[in-house]
């Protein structure tokens, strides 16, 4: 009986603002699937979001070798596409530790820490104060 060959799966988690993307890299043909839909459909055929999600693979020259399977939630499309980018970069580092240097130089492994500032009591928004009246 032949030994069953197990497919290699590489995981990476990306976060930006309030978006979280759990990314799986599977050997394949370069497909991008987000929440069960094609990447083009999910990101409304906007090339900036799609190319951002695939950019770590393009940096390493692996465009057509891996499928990107993503579960994303929270935030909007910009945050989710950048979260996918970080998740793909982390998965590529898991694939081969030598991939870390070129991805780090391009800035793909840096998590964007900006998020919405919380609202403070006594203010209308995070920093907008009520109108001041002298009399």
């Amino acid at each position: 009986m032949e030994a069953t060959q197990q497919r290699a799966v590489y995981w990476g988690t990306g976060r930006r603002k309030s978006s979280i993307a759990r990314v799986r890299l599977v050997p394949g043909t370069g497909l991008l699937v987000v929440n069960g839909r094609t990447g083009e459909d999910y990101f409304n055929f906007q090339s900036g979001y799609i190319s951002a999600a695939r950019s770590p693979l393009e940096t390493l020259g692996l465009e057509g070798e891996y499928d990107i399977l993503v579960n994303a939630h929270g935030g909007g499309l910009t945050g989710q596409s950048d979260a996918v980018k970080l998740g793909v970069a982390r998965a590529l580092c898991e694939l081969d530790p030598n991939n870390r240097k070129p991805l780090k130089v391009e800035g793909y492994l840096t998590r964007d820490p900006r998020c919405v500032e919380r609202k403070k009591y006594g203010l209308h928004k995070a920093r907008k104060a009520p109108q001041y009246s002298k009399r």
Side-chain angles (χ1 to χ4, degrees):
M1 185 172 173
E2 294 180 20
T4 58
Q5 186 179 11
Q6 200 172 22
R7 287 172 38 147
V9 177
Y10 303 97
W11 287 89
T13 301
R15 294 180 198 86
R16 180 169 193 275
K17 295 175 118 181
S18 60
S19 300
I20 298 173
R22 290 177 299 178
V23 178
R24 280 183 298 167
L25 280 185
V26 181
T29 59
L31 205 64
L32 174 62
V33 178
V34 183
N35 293 345
R37 293 162 55 189
T38 64
E40 289 78 14
D41 182 39
Y42 188 82
F43 289 123
N44 297 329
F45 299 94
Q46 295 187 15
S47 60
Y49 296 147
I50 298 162
S51 63
R54 289 194 170 123
S55 55
L57 285 171
E58 292 168 3
T59 299
L60 298 174
L62 302 171
E63 299 96 17
E65 297 183 29
Y66 289 95
D67 290 342
I68 306 170
L69 308 174
V70 182
N71 286 333
H73 66 273
L77 293 181
T78 302
Q80 286 185 359
S81 68
D82 285 347
V84 170
K85 178 170 64 174
L86 178 59
V88 169
R90 286 180 173 176
L92 288 169
C93 287
E94 187 180 313
L95 174 102
D96 183 9
N98 295 329
N99 291 340
R100 184 168 177 80
K101 179 101 170 111
L103 292 172
K104 188 73 174 168
V105 168
E106 292 292 323
Y108 294 137
L109 293 174
T110 305
R111 186 209 186 281
D112 191 346
R114 295 175 295 175
C115 60
V116 177
E117 190 174 345
R118 77 173 188 88
K119 180 189 177 299
K120 282 80 169 184
Y121 64 89
L123 300 181
H124 292 304
K125 291 170 37 179
R127 299 188 180 196
K128 183 171 171 47
Q131 185 174 9
Y132 175 72
S133 172
K134 190 170 183 180
R135 287 180 187 83

